[in-house]
């Protein structure tokens, strides 16, 4: 809180203060050291709630509208940034495999930082935000494939011959899982979750309504990770987009806002 206020007074985003707070209580500075394991768990909750809240602002139709710009743009950006990063690392004397991984790491924007910036400038409902979010979703999906491809290719990147059979099998299975998850969200999720939210709202209980909203966000995110290999953040985002189809989506966003704000701060501290 103190460093966040100080950052704002200096004309900087509050998240700069949160990052500095994490450095102060981290293991690389003298003094008190926070429990990094718990911090990581709280950060996961923050990412899920934040991405869920962003999903509540974007319907699936909004994302599909910008696909002709977001998909090729994101893929081209990943290729160019990877090439530039790999070339720089190779120029520093890194081995080709390490240089390539370094380039890939630089090619992806932080979804959470981008969204916080859009929120800070009150631009979350603009066309620019739609394109940016669609772009980030494509990047997240691409990184799912990259993380699957890296282990089979690790030997090849280090000089050994990669196992082509294992690589093809891993890639095919991942593509199948991601496709199944997206299809499940499009066909089943956008009908089932709004219907359940409507039934819960009929009880007249505010706490049950809030509990269902949070449970839906965490449940879809967890299921996406465990069953389909999709990141927690992307799973929570799709949970928000399908709940956006409900007439109670605005209320869901309002009820989850306090939790979202509190845990999002902890994400930056954890970083």
């Amino acid at each position: 809180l103190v460093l966040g206020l100080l950052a704002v007074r200096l004309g900087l985003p509050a998240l700069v203060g949160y990052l500095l707070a994490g450095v102060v209580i981290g293991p690389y500075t003298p003094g008190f050291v926070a429990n990094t394991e718990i911090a990581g768990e709280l950060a996961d909750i923050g990412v899920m709630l934040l991405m869920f809240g962003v999903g509540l602002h974007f319907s699936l139709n909004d994302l599909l509208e910008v696909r002709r710009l977001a998909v090729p743009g994101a893929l081209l950006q990943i290729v160019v940034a990877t090439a530039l990063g790999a070339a720089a690392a190779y120029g520093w004397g890194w081995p080709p495999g390490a240089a390539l991984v370094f380039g890939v790491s630089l090619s992806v924007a932080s979804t959470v930082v981008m969204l916080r910036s859009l929120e800070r400038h009150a631009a979350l409902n603009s066309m620019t935000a739609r394109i940016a979010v669609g772009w980030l979703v494509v990047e997240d999906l691409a990184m799912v494939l990259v993380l699957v491809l890296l282990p089979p290719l690790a030997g090849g990147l280090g000089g050994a011959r990669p196992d082509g059979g294992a690589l093809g099998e891993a890639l095919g299975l991942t593509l199948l899982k991601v496709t199944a998850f997206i299809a499940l969200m499009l066909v089943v999720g956008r009908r089932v979750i709004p219907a359940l939210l409507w039934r819960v709202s009929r009880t007249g209980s505010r706490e049950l309504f809030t509990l269902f909203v949070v449970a839906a966000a965490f449940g879809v995110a967890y299921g996406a990770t465990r069953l389909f290999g999709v990141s927690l953040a992307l799973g929570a985002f799709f949970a928000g987009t399908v709940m956006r189809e409900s007439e109670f989506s605005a209320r869901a966003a309002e009820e989850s806002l306090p939790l979202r704000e509190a845990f999002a701060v902890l994400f930056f501290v954890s970083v």
Side-chain angles (χ1 to χ4, degrees):
L1 173 63
V2 172
L3 292 177
L5 286 171
L6 181 61
V8 171
R9 290 295 297 272
L10 293 174
L12 299 171
L15 66 87
V16 174
Y18 307 151
L19 291 170
L20 290 176
V23 172
V24 170
I25 63 174
Y28 305 106
T29 52
F32 175 76
V33 177
N35 187 319
T36 54
E37 183 178 352
I38 292 179
E41 294 174 356
L42 295 175
D44 285 339
I45 295 175
V47 170
M48 283 189 287
L49 287 172
L50 182 61
M51 292 299 293
F52 173 73
V54 171
L56 285 171
H57 289 85
F58 295 91
S59 68
L60 293 171
N61 292 331
D62 291 336
L63 296 178
L64 292 175
E65 284 178 3
V66 300
R67 67 185 184 279
R68 293 184 179 179
L69 180 60
V71 174
L75 295 178
L76 179 62
Q77 179 244 311
I78 289 173
V79 171
V80 172
T82 299
L84 292 174
Y90 188 73
W92 300 333
W94 290 26
L100 180 61
V101 173
F102 177 74
V104 171
S105 301
L106 292 180
S107 70
V108 187
S110 170
T111 305
V112 177
V113 173
M114 174 74 77
L115 296 174
R116 294 298 284 187
S117 178
L118 289 170
E119 284 184 338
R120 179 169 173 257
H121 292 89
L124 202 54
N125 294 318
S126 65
M127 177 55 71
T128 300
R130 292 185 188 180
I131 296 172
V133 170
W135 197 296
L136 292 169
V137 168
V138 174
E139 285 188 348
D140 284 344
L141 290 173
M143 287 307 107
V144 171
L145 299 178
V146 168
L147 291 174
V148 170
L149 292 173
L150 277 178
L153 287 176
L157 293 174
R161 188 169 183 175
D163 185 350
L167 174 61
E169 181 181 348
L171 181 58
L173 182 60
T174 301
L175 288 172
L176 182 63
K177 285 184 176 180
V178 171
T179 303
F181 170 71
I182 294 176
L184 186 65
M185 288 291 98
L186 288 173
V187 178
V188 179
R190 66 192 308 182
R191 291 176 173 81
V192 172
I193 292 181
L196 291 175
L197 185 63
W198 179 77
R199 289 182 177 276
V200 172
S201 68
R202 290 189 63 189
T203 64
S205 172
R206 180 176 179 179
E207 63 190 54
L208 283 177
F209 185 90
T210 304
L211 182 60
F212 175 80
V213 169
V214 175
F218 287 2
V220 173
Y222 180 76
T225 300
R226 296 287 294 181
L227 300 177
F228 302 100
V230 177
S231 68
L232 288 170
L234 197 60
F237 174 77
F238 273 101
T241 58
V242 297
M243 194 173 288
R244 176 74 166 77
E245 306 294 327
S246 169
E247 60 185 296
F248 301 102
S249 61
R251 181 184 170 190
E254 181 183 354
E255 296 286 351
S256 61
L257 181 61
L259 282 173
R260 206 161 67 233
E261 295 291 347
F263 281 98
V265 170
L266 297 176
F267 164 77
F268 291 107
V269 174
S270 175
V271 170

